[in-house]
Amino acid sequence: MKVQALFKKAQAAAPKAPKAVKKAAKVVKNIGSKATRGWLGGAGGAEGLDKWYGPDRALFLPGGLLDRNDLPDYLDSTLAGDYGYDPLGLGKDKDTVDKYRANELIHARWAMLAAAGILIPEGLQANGADIRG
């Protein structure tokens, strides 16, 4: 009897779904205009990037634990993900950093292809394709 009561409550909540659909349709109408919204209803667009890039960027440790004067000179926020953390000193040589960056891009592209190679056959097989292998 308790299980049936749970399903009856779920059926009673079902009429609320059309309201959510209407609300989503309203948001879709605004996407083409300049009135777009960001995640959780905030302002859309790429705003506030100063906290991630430039000399006053966020660091890997809070301000009380790490002084900006202690950062190595070669960590000048020119590369993505530069938050002042290089304990092994791998970024000292500019040529080596360029080689590391090129290798990282190639490996990231191979990883994206691998993910597609895993997900696409799984999706096709889940929808009835006869895939053997």
Side-chain angles (χ1 to χ4, degrees):
M1 289 295 192
K2 290 182 182 180
V3 174
Q4 291 176 350
L6 287 175
F7 286 114
K8 288 181 183 177
K9 288 181 185 178
Q11 290 174 354
K16 292 183 180 179
K19 290 181 182 178
V21 171
K22 289 179 184 175
K23 189 174 184 181
K26 183 179 178 184
V27 173
V28 170
K29 289 179 184 175
N30 289 335
I31 288 177
S33 67
K34 293 184 179 180
T36 60
R37 299 283 181 161
W39 290 99
L40 304 175
E47 296 177 6
L49 294 178
D50 294 338
K51 69 178 182 178
W52 302 112
Y53 300 101
D56 296 329
R57 68 192 181 281
L59 299 177
F60 73 99
L61 287 175
L65 298 174
L66 179 68
D67 188 24
R68 291 193 183 274
N69 296 329
D70 295 337
L71 294 177
D73 294 333
Y74 57 87
L75 295 178
D76 56 358
S77 75
T78 56
L79 293 174
D82 178 9
Y83 301 114
Y85 186 73
D86 188 15
L88 300 177
L90 298 175
K92 287 181 181 176
D93 184 24
K94 184 71 171 164
D95 294 333
T96 307
V97 170
D98 291 338
K99 183 179 83 171
Y100 290 153
R101 184 170 186 232
N103 288 338
E104 183 178 8
L105 288 173
I106 287 175
H107 286 98
R109 290 172 182 159
W110 278 110
M112 287 186 274
L113 283 172
I118 292 169
L119 296 175
I120 291 171
E122 289 286 330
L124 290 173
Q125 189 173 16
N127 288 314
D130 186 23
I131 297 176
R132 297 174 194 256

